[in-house]
Amino acid sequence: MVERKIHLKPLSLDDLDNLMTWVNDPEVTKNLAKFNHEITRKQEREFLEAMLVSDKDKVFSIENEKQEYIGQISINNIYWPAKNGRLGLVIKREQQNKGYATLSIRDVLNIAFNDLELNKIWAVFYVANSKMKHITDNFFFKQEGLLRQEYFHNEKYHDMIRVAILKQDWVVRMSRFAIPGYE
């Protein structure tokens, strides 16, 4: 199997065209509760501009080994006093199921715990999102709770799972798998 590589680059205004490739793709956004209507280029630009000045959101574009845009990964809603933030991830449809989500999460957790010095990263996803459950399980995220009827999307309520990983768990995981810098 070929080792895939990715690069995370900080979000910029130049990413607007890339973001527009997936924001209105229902197959990509089906697991994102807030994407239940058409998003205009103007709306997405305003959102992008807000993210660029936010001190509570760190957003990265994901590029593959050919420097092709494949999606976004972020740490949002950072609460600096408690040093925690929410993981967000979107991979374009044609780039899904290639291992990019796992690589992206690995790299953004390194940024979260080493560069930003956060203590906890959490994620919330639909109970039915077995892909995200599998990926977060592989990183030793622990389930913190079941959020009953947490989101209302597509005319019905959905239960959500909240998972989290602590910096101390990440260090143990990285040393167990001999990742450089965690010996």
Side-chain angles (χ1 to χ4, degrees), residues 4-89:
R4 295 204 179 268
K5 295 181 180 178
I6 56 119
H7 171 70
L8 301 184
K9 68 177 189 101
L11 185 69
S12 75
L13 282 176
D14 294 336
D15 289 311
L16 181 59
D17 289 337
N18 290 327
L19 295 168
M20 293 307 298
T21 65
W22 62 262
V23 294
N24 292 312
D25 182 343
E27 186 60 31
V28 174
T29 63
K30 68 183 176 191
N31 290 313
L32 304 172
K34 293 182 181 179
F35 285 80
N36 57 0
H37 62 280
E38 185 85 8
I39 296 172
T40 67
R41 185 175 181 81
K42 180 179 184 248
Q43 289 169 323
E44 190 61 19
R45 182 180 180 90
E46 289 170 357
F47 175 80
L48 177 60
E49 289 170 343
M51 288 294 105
L52 291 175
V53 297
S54 172
D55 66 343
K56 296 179 182 179
D57 302 283
K58 302 298 178 188
V59 186
F60 304 90
S61 290
I62 308 163
E63 294 180 342
N64 66 15
E65 59 275 7
K66 297 176 186 173
Q67 296 184 325
E68 299 166 328
Y69 172 83
I70 58 173
Q72 299 296 130
I73 192 160
S74 58
I75 305 163
N76 301 102
N77 305 329
I78 297 172
Y79 182 61
W80 291 106
K83 295 187 174 191
N84 67 53
R86 179 180 181 171
L87 176 68
L89 173 68

